[in-house]
Amino acid sequence: MVAACAVVVVITFVRERTASEDEDPGDTPDVIEYMTMWIGVVYAIVLGLAIAGVWEARSAAQDHVQAEAQALHEISERVRVYPPAERDRVRADVEAYVSQVVNVEWKTMADHEELTQRGTDLLQRIRADVTDYKPTTDFQAQAYQPLVDQVAAVDSARNARSDSTGATMPSVVWFGLLAGAVITIGMVFALQIRRTTRELILAGLFSALIAFLLFLIWDFDAPYSRGITASAQPFLNLFPDIKG
């Protein structure tokens, strides 16, 4: 934002020094003012849609985490109808998976935008624990299918989390956003701003605002690795014994 303001001030001073003596700063064609207004309106709409898109993607990423944590919690709780040996094994594997996600996989997502093979292997172990068990009572049989469904919910949420680890904005959109910023700010100079304090402050603030909004889009663009990221707190809330 400071750099954007500095660029406006420097260009304005350079333009002032190189301007011809007979140039009239008030002689701006009406069509340029009209075009500047509409370019600003269109670019503001594009910025608003981009911000809404990345914010929605970040919210969806947090929802994936919540769904995954809740499904794991349901598995850990519903498996209590199983015999002690099978119950303890399933719960131990669930806790091992949660610990892997919170303590290892989260950092891998932030640094490399991918999940870990160890997490995938632990989920497969949970699936095997649940699906390979043969119920011996009607009560266990009634709990079996819901447990299988919860394992499928964990797998679905994990796949959705994997799809959300990278940037969500395509490169062509970023090109449009950056090119639009250059054009929009460039049109300000087409209005022949001078070195008056009021014009410099307004031009600087306008440029800084665009820089801030672009940074905001970039910050939200990767839900797990930049700035205000999706949190692993749902895992810690439902599994308080896991150390984050």
Side-chain angles (χ1 to χ4, degrees):
M1 292 170 64
V2 172
C5 293
V7 168
V8 171
V9 173
V10 169
I11 293 179
T12 303
F13 273 84
V14 171
R15 191 170 182 275
E16 170 71 15
R17 284 182 169 274
T18 57
S20 59
E21 295 182 358
D22 59 347
E23 181 179 349
D24 183 6
D27 185 20
T28 300
D30 293 339
V31 66
I32 292 183
E33 296 182 0
Y34 182 79
M35 290 175 59
T36 301
M37 178 188 69
W38 276 107
I39 288 174
V41 169
V42 171
Y43 188 63
I45 294 174
V46 173
L47 277 177
L49 291 175
I51 292 173
V54 293
W55 177 258
E56 182 179 359
R58 182 199 173 280
S59 298
Q62 188 65 60
D63 291 341
H64 299 328
V65 176
Q66 181 64 48
E68 186 178 0
Q70 185 62 47
L72 288 166
H73 180 69
E74 290 295 321
I75 294 173
S76 184
E77 291 298 320
R78 295 189 183 196
V79 80
R80 64 187 179 86
V81 302
Y82 281 18
E86 286 76 10
R87 178 191 63 208
D88 293 343
R89 182 171 65 251
V90 172
R91 286 180 173 175
D93 288 342
V94 168
E95 290 182 357
Y97 175 81
V98 173
S99 179
Q100 170 71 15
V101 170
V102 172
N103 297 317
V104 179
E105 196 163 79
W106 214 263
K107 188 175 187 304
T108 302
M109 289 193 304
D111 295 342
H112 305 291
E113 297 184 350
E114 62 182 16
L115 304 186
T116 62
Q117 183 59 42
R118 174 64 176 167
T120 302
D121 294 340
L122 288 172
L123 179 56
Q124 288 299 111
R125 185 185 301 175
I126 296 173
R127 186 189 298 276
D129 291 341
V130 172
T131 58
D132 292 352
Y133 177 73
K134 296 180 179 180
T136 57
T137 66
D138 291 342
F139 191 28
Q140 293 176 5
Q142 292 174 5
Y144 177 81
Q145 188 57 49
L147 280 168
V148 173
D149 293 341
Q150 292 300 323
V151 172
V154 173
D155 193 21
S156 177
R158 178 180 174 81
N159 289 334
R161 178 160 59 88
S162 176
D163 294 338
S164 302
T165 53
T168 57
M169 295 284 287
S171 300
V172 64
V173 176
W174 272 113
F175 174 79
L177 290 173
L178 295 175
V182 172
I183 294 173
T184 303
I185 296 176
M187 290 301 292
V188 174
F189 296 103
L191 294 177
Q192 302 185 34
I193 64 173
R194 309 299 275 184
R195 287 190 297 175
T196 65
T197 303
R198 180 182 63 182
E199 289 177 329
L200 282 177
I201 290 177
L202 290 177
L205 291 177
F206 178 70
S207 304
L209 176 61
I210 291 180
F212 170 73
L213 293 177
L214 289 174
F215 169 77
L216 196 64
I217 295 171
W218 175 86
D219 190 60
F220 287 151
D221 191 25
Y224 298 109
S225 57
R226 297 176 189 161
I228 306 175
T229 60
S231 170
Q233 193 60 40
F235 288 104
L236 300 176
N237 291 340
L238 295 173
F239 298 91
D241 293 336
I242 302 298
K243 303 297 183 182

